[in-house]
Amino acid sequence: MLKIGEFSCLAKTTVKTLRYYDEIGLLKPVFVDDNGYRYYQIDQLNELLKIVELRKLDIPLLDIKEVLKNDNNLQKVLEKQKTNLENELNKKISQISLIKKYISKAKKGEFMEKYEAKEIVVPSKSVYYKHGVIDSMQDLFNFVLSAEKECGRLNPTLKCKNYCYVTYTANEYKEKDVELEYVEEVESIGVGNETIKFRQDPEIRALSIIHKGKYENLQKAYAYALNYVKENGYSISGLIREVYIHGCWDEENEDNYLTE
């Protein structure tokens, strides 16, 4: 058997790391004497080298533990990490693209997006709506589809018009358990139930800001709108609407999404 110091020299792994691996049950010594000294067998070196190689790939220790339990888990763990790294790479590529965009804007003395504010009147509309809570914004599209499907089931001949929006009804921003209301214009008031309801939206005076691009950047449009409201002595009345003009249903590229 090898003392922990000797074992660490052969494996070129610090004693501190070996002690940690022992504490979490990843690589335990074969023997610990009365003084607490750890001893390892030579064949444990292969296990440690496997840990070292997998850690070079940033594979989590919990996944490595599964590999040490059963070599058949190796391919599954590697495939999982491959997917994780590909996702990280795509994120980095997106960040680099955004940095290039901001560099270009900085050269022109710009940084924030430029918007145009229009004061408009939105006429009264017959609408159906669905109120609910979604796990996250990733589930918004499925929520909308379920509303459209249920409305269509209740009203097979009712035609929808080219106007829909979402309002967020909670009093704070949430990444999870998002409370919202989906609203879509229809040609007339139809038959509702506990899920789908109808109403007549009144005519309103509104400030219109058109945002082109990803939904995750909508806060820039909100900031511009709020500054416009403040500078012109207005106040906000009612909930803010996000009107979807172009999105994932007709655009593959998120940069071409259009939201009012």
Side-chain angles (χ1 to χ4, degrees):
M1 290 190 295
L2 300 171
K3 292 182 179 180
I4 189 171
E6 297 170 326
F7 190 67
S8 74
C9 289
L10 289 173
K12 299 190 182 302
T13 302
T14 65
V15 169
K16 181 180 178 181
T17 298
L18 290 173
R19 287 172 178 159
Y20 178 66
Y21 288 168
D22 178 18
E23 290 172 4
I24 65 174
L26 184 63
L27 183 67
K28 301 191 73 66
V30 293
F31 176 70
V32 180
D33 67 18
D34 294 339
N35 294 318
Y37 292 115
R38 296 169 172 84
Y39 292 84
Y40 295 83
Q41 290 180 338
I42 292 177
D43 58 9
Q44 285 185 285
L45 186 59
N46 289 331
E47 287 187 75
L48 181 56
L49 292 178
K50 185 179 291 184
I51 294 171
V52 170
E53 288 302 308
L54 294 176
R55 285 301 293 151
K56 288 179 182 178
L57 303 176
D58 288 334
I59 293 177
L61 293 176
L62 286 176
D63 288 341
I64 294 176
K65 185 181 290 188
E66 293 303 312
V67 173
L68 295 181
K69 287 180 182 177
N70 189 338
D71 279 339
N72 292 331
N73 293 325
L74 178 59
Q75 182 176 346
K76 178 182 176 182
V77 167
L78 289 172
E79 291 286 353
K80 176 183 175 182
Q81 186 64 359
K82 175 176 173 288
T83 299
N84 291 339
L85 292 176
E86 287 173 344
N87 290 338
E88 289 179 16
L89 177 60
N90 290 334
K91 181 179 179 180
K92 296 298 181 185
I93 291 173
S94 178
Q95 289 174 331
I96 291 171
S97 176
L98 192 58
I99 288 173
K100 289 179 178 178
K101 177 182 175 181
Y102 285 148
I103 289 174
S104 177
K105 285 180 173 292
K107 289 179 179 178
K108 301 175 184 177
E110 304 171 355
F111 182 70
M112 298 301 291
E113 301 289 342
K114 285 189 174 181
Y115 294 97
E116 180 182 357
K118 291 183 179 180
E119 297 180 26
I120 64 173
V121 174
V122 181
S124 175
K125 299 177 183 292
S126 299
V127 301
Y128 78 85
Y129 62 97
K130 178 182 178 180
H131 185 87
V133 177
I134 57 177
D135 290 338
S136 70
M137 291 306 297
Q138 303 298 324
D139 300 315
L140 176 59
F141 186 59
N142 289 333
F143 183 85
V144 170
L145 286 180
S146 68
E148 292 178 344
K149 183 178 180 180
E150 181 66 6
C151 182
R153 185 186 69 81
L154 295 169
N155 305 272
T157 61
L158 184 63
K159 293 182 179 180
C160 296
K161 295 191 174 182
N162 192 27
Y163 183 83
C164 63
Y165 65 87
V166 164
T167 58
Y168 300 98
T169 52
N171 57 7
E172 62 178 308
Y173 172 75
K174 291 183 178 180
E175 292 183 344
K176 300 289 185 181
D177 298 327
V178 182
E179 184 179 338
L180 54 80
E181 185 176 88
Y182 173 72
V183 183
E184 186 167 1
E185 184 182 9
V186 289
E187 60 182 3
S188 61
I189 299 297
V191 177
N193 58 14
E194 292 183 356
T195 302
I196 299 297
K197 301 182 184 302
F198 286 82
R199 69 175 182 233
Q200 190 71 28
D201 272 358
E203 177 181 286
I204 61 169
R205 184 184 177 196
L207 180 66
S208 171
I209 308 291
I210 300 296
H211 171 79
K212 184 177 182 180
K214 299 177 181 179
Y215 296 143
E216 63 192 56
N217 294 325
L218 276 170
Q219 65 268 31
K220 298 176 183 178
Y222 279 118
Y224 183 87
L226 292 175
N227 284 330
Y228 184 95
V229 167
K230 180 181 178 181
E231 290 171 0
N232 288 274
Y234 295 139
S235 60
I236 298 175
S237 176
L239 297 173
I240 296 175
R241 298 179 181 181
E242 288 183 3
V243 182
Y244 302 114
I245 302 170
H246 295 297
C248 59
W249 58 92
D250 63 353
E251 281 289 348
E252 293 184 1
N253 188 344
E254 290 183 338
D255 291 332
N256 293 328
Y257 287 4
L258 209 61
T259 310
E260 182 185 30

